[in-house]
Amino acid sequence: MESLRVLELYSGIGGMHYALKESGISAQVVAAVDINTTANKIYRHNFPDTPLWNKTIEGIPLDDFNQLSFDMIMMSPPCQPFTRLGLQGDVADPRCKSFLFILELLPRLCKLPTYIMLENVKGFESSSARDYLIKVLSGCGYTYQECMISPTNVGVPNSRLRYFLIAKMSAENSSIQTSDKGCSFSHVTDSEFPERSSVLRYKCQNIDQPSEDNPNVHVLYKRETQMDSQRKTNQNKDLSVQQIQDYLEPQMNINMELYLLKPKTLLRYGSILDIVQPHSRRSVCFTKGYGRYVEGTGSVLQCCMENEISSVFTNLDQLTEEEKLQKMFKLNLRYFTPREVANLMGFPQSFS
């Protein structure tokens, strides 16, 4: 089989490129496209031989795409229009413009790619952008499959639920063969705009869903309810998921002063921190605000195991600030290092 020629859109720091290499498929990324200058520096450092276009996608002429003669498109369009924590502007969000341009461009290519792979956040599956994508794919003669999957499904102790679509050009309109490990796929019917309630049918085991806020639920400590505590206990008992310690750097390699949580952070955000331990089999999704912001940006690590989290935080609000700090310091809480976050996101040790 000839090596696949791959176009990588929204290439970022090269996550999809690494995944393509790990797949064992004979492939060459003929061009990577992104406008984030910092991400492009990292991409170029790790993939110096890959042509990297620092251009807006909608500013690239059709002829330039045709000259690449690619067999596959990999892409992870901007997630902000679809994220649950955002405004969910969908196709009206200006950050969706480049993706809509791709969908308008696809039928005009002189040669349609054989494969298309797309990744995005939970929320994309119920968006108008997804409906338009399916309409274009069906009109071009692709079969496709969709799945929601988290790293915990493949044994990685991090919750990052994501939407994936795989499309294949097939004259027989036959289904793509996939593994059923972790989730089961089902083909979505080729209607112009499928009913959103039945857009995605999947079964994913061990996907971590946060509990809903309920003012009537009894809080044990921190802001931890009995349901929260039980959910985390269940996650930590799942032996199909590795432990956090398998992803940590040797302590001797870490300058702890750089990563320990500062007193003002502990005082202000201590009650909402998601704290994990080296033997934990769970952590929450890391975002680009990790280390700069606290709420909802990722877990922190308890380095001193001599004290239980519950004993530190129970009745903490009744203490003075100095007493609060003395208790929280006992946990020796720190942020994960960039290398450790990269490990949890599946990047190989060669990545830098």
Side-chain angles (χ1 to χ4, degrees), residues 13 79 83 85 119 121 150-151 156-162 208 244 247-248 259 261 273-277 281-302 334-347:
I13 61 174
C79 65
T83 180
L85 298 178
E119 177 269 348
V121 295
S150 173
V156 179
N158 183 246
S159 301
R160 190 179 175 86
L161 186 58
R162 290 296 182 265
D208 312 325
I244 289 290
Y247 295 81
L248 299 180
Y259 300 103
L261 272 66
L273 293 171
D274 183 75
I275 301 171
V276 297
Q277 301 166 333
R281 299 180 188 273
R282 52 162 293 277
S283 61
V284 299
C285 181
F286 294 95
T287 73
K288 68 178 182 180
Y290 188 67
R292 292 186 295 121
Y293 303 103
V294 177
E295 187 169 5
T297 61
S299 300
V300 296
L301 183 69
Q302 177 184 346
R334 72 165 174 87
Y335 292 107
F336 284 80
T337 69
R339 177 67 258 177
E340 291 166 344
V341 174
N343 292 342
L344 286 165
M345 291 189 172
F347 283 87

Side-chain angles (χ1 to χ4, degrees), residues 191-209:
S191 57
E192 182 169 345
F193 288 112
E195 290 295 321
R196 289 185 182 169
S197 61
S198 60
V199 155
L200 200 55
R201 304 174 183 88
Y202 61 89
K203 291 185 291 184
C204 289
Q205 292 77 38
N206 307 318
I207 294 219
D208 312 325
Q209 299 290 354

